[in-house]
Amino acid sequence: MYKTVIRPVLFSGLKADPEWLHNRSMTLLEWLENNQNQFPANWVLKQVSSQWRYEETRLSQTLWGITFPNPLGLAAGFDKNGVAASIWDRFGFGYAELGTVTEHPQPGNPPPRLFRLLQDEAALNRMGFNNEGSQKLAECLQKQAGRRGNAPLGINLGKSKITPLEQAAEDYLTSFLRLREWGDYFAVNVSSPNTPGLRSLQDSKQLSLILEAIQANNPQDKPILVKIAPDLTWDAIADVLTIAKEYQLAGIIATNTTIAREGLKTKTINGNPITEEAGGISGKPLRDRVTAIIRYIYQQTEGTLPIIGVGGIFTAEDAWEKITAGASLLQVYTGWIYEGPMMAKQVLTGLTQKLDEQGLSHLSEAVGRSINN
């Protein structure tokens, strides 16, 4: 029903701006979060949980001493300000990554800044890290502390647009210090294409400064990961892996959105050729490149560095492909929008079937299987 009735109305019939629809959704989710112990919000969440949640102990993953009820997480960018942080498990997710959050509150880039590429089952965004700032997120998570379920929370850290690149380390550190009590793991985002100069921080020298500052102020040994771009060369990825080892990173998130435009069926957006429209593309066009990067990282590290795979996951088959290439955890955003709220349950049910077909007793046995066998 979602794909044949609801999605066409939302995507085409209403002709509504995708960001407007997203903001209306977040308003509803925030209301559910704030009123989850009262009727009718508690009734709605109970129905959501019973319909969209799927529990199977064989799908749980334990990394960095953290137990993830299942491997499918909500990617950063959806709940930037953590307003629904405590209820994402009700929608079937094993964890959620909040943010991207910056030291300073910022409005992001001017709209329109979010577009659907329907023919490609993709999205183009140039949001520009719009968020209310890391102090506001910390206050929000503190307020929700007593309502959190079993699903871990990651926090995605970015650089404020007003912060000069040479002061990036201090910017990331300030947000980390404000939030380190509330995140189960942290992702250092140096790969968004929508903040000027940000991707230059993937350079080994610049990235080292950021990681050194955070790790020197990480007495709880919170897991620190780096989120990389799909457009990096293999040599550049190898450099990141060297830094990951030097600074004892917990893992790699592969990947962010792409600035590539090759092979797209969509030719124009906003009345302009898509090649002239700034922003990063997510969804199905990323699928194969992300899988190749996961496989490369897994091979280069011999499976010793956990990978979170994100990009082009729509089905259980997509998820299985990334897990067997080397990903221990997965994240979705665009796929969830296209496939609908039942997606998490469908993917997790499909992964369980894959385990049965392969005669595996636990999902961890499938990680890197296509390489190891």
Side-chain angles (χ1 to χ4, degrees):
M1 178 176 285
Y2 176 83
K3 295 175 77 171
T4 58
V5 179
I6 298 175
R7 191 178 79 182
V9 171
L10 291 176
F11 283 20
S12 303
L14 292 177
K15 299 188 183 302
D17 173 54
E19 185 179 355
W20 183 89
L21 286 174
H22 176 84
N23 290 339
R24 301 291 75 74
S25 299
M26 293 311 303
T27 299
L28 173 60
L29 288 164
E30 183 175 9
W31 176 81
L32 289 171
E33 200 288 328
N34 288 334
N35 298 279
Q36 60 186 277
N37 296 322
Q38 302 171 29
F39 184 83
N42 58 355
W43 180 87
V44 172
L45 287 171
K46 184 178 180 181
Q47 302 308 308
V48 166
S49 185
S50 66
Q51 294 295 318
W52 300 342
R53 210 171 182 174
Y54 178 79
E55 296 183 1
E56 169 56 64
T57 55
R58 291 185 296 166
L59 296 181
S60 68
Q61 290 283 66
T62 299
L63 296 170
W64 320 302
I66 304 167
T67 298
F68 297 80
N70 70 63
L72 194 66
L74 180 71
F78 201 96
D79 191 358
K80 291 174 179 283
N81 299 305
V83 298
S86 74
I87 62 173
W88 284 116
D89 60 323
R90 314 286 187 95
F91 294 84
F93 293 110
Y95 67 106
E97 189 170 303
L98 310 176
T100 297
V101 65
T102 55
E103 176 187 356
H104 303 285
Q106 56 186 41
N109 294 321
R113 53 191 184 180
L114 179 62
F115 307 90
R116 298 190 192 95
L117 284 60
L118 297 180
Q119 291 176 282
D120 298 285
E121 294 187 84
L124 183 148
N125 95 80
R126 48 172 177 262
M127 304 300 290
F129 288 169
N130 57 306
N131 74 104
E132 296 178 354
S134 53
Q135 183 59 44
K136 190 71 177 289
L137 176 56
E139 293 168 2
C140 181
L141 295 178
Q142 183 176 21
K143 184 183 71 172
Q144 296 176 16
R147 301 197 291 266
R148 278 187 59 176
N150 296 324
L153 292 177
I155 298 178
N156 189 292
L157 306 175
K159 184 191 78 68
S160 306
K161 187 175 182 179
I162 63 173
T163 300
L165 286 171
E166 59 270 20
Q167 296 174 21
E170 291 91 334
D171 193 283
Y172 282 95
L173 177 61
T174 299
S175 292
F176 176 70
L177 292 176
R178 289 170 174 171
L179 292 160
R180 64 183 178 184
E181 181 180 350
W182 307 111
D184 292 296
Y185 75 84
F186 289 83
V188 175
N189 187 344
V190 289
S191 51
S192 169
N194 301 317
T195 296
L198 187 78
R199 285 191 169 191
S200 68
L201 298 178
Q202 293 174 116
D203 173 74
S204 58
K205 182 179 180 181
Q206 295 279 3
L207 184 56
S208 295
L209 294 173
I210 297 168
L211 297 177
E212 185 174 345
I214 291 175
Q215 292 291 42
N217 292 275
N218 187 16
Q220 296 172 293
D221 288 329
K222 289 294 178 87
I224 309 297
L225 295 83
V226 167
K227 187 169 188 176
I228 64 172
D231 310 303
L232 289 178
T233 64
W234 298 118
D235 286 344
I237 295 173
D239 289 341
V240 172
L241 298 181
T242 299
I243 294 169
K245 184 176 181 180
E246 182 179 355
Y247 289 95
Q248 298 180 311
L249 288 187
I252 302 289
I253 301 178
T255 66
N256 214 315
T257 56
T258 181
I259 57 174
R261 299 291 188 265
E262 293 81 14
L264 294 175
K265 298 175 184 176
T266 305
K267 301 303 179 186
T268 61
I269 279 187
N270 206 28
N272 300 316
I274 195 167
T275 52
E276 297 178 10
E277 289 287 341
I281 290 177
S282 59
K284 282 196 175 177
L286 268 176
R287 181 175 57 195
D288 293 343
R289 174 61 178 170
V290 169
T291 302
I293 290 174
I294 291 170
R295 185 176 294 113
Y296 177 80
I297 294 171
Y298 187 87
Q299 289 174 323
Q300 292 297 306
T301 62
E302 298 181 337
T304 60
L305 189 66
I307 304 164
I308 298 179
V310 51
I313 299 172
F314 284 64
T315 66
E317 198 67 41
D318 298 332
W320 184 255
E321 184 179 66
K322 284 176 171 49
I323 290 167
T324 56
S328 295
L329 296 172
L330 308 169
Q331 290 179 355
V332 295
Y333 182 160
T334 306
W336 194 50
I337 300 302
Y338 275 90
E339 294 296 307
M342 287 292 292
M343 179 208 182
K345 188 172 186 178
Q346 291 166 350
V347 168
L348 297 173
T349 302
L351 289 178
T352 302
Q353 293 172 347
K354 290 286 187 182
L355 293 180
D356 291 338
E357 292 168 4
Q358 300 292 323
L360 302 177
S361 60
H362 195 272
L363 188 69
S364 57
E365 298 173 17
V367 176
R369 186 175 173 85
S370 66
I371 297 169
N372 294 331
N373 284 355

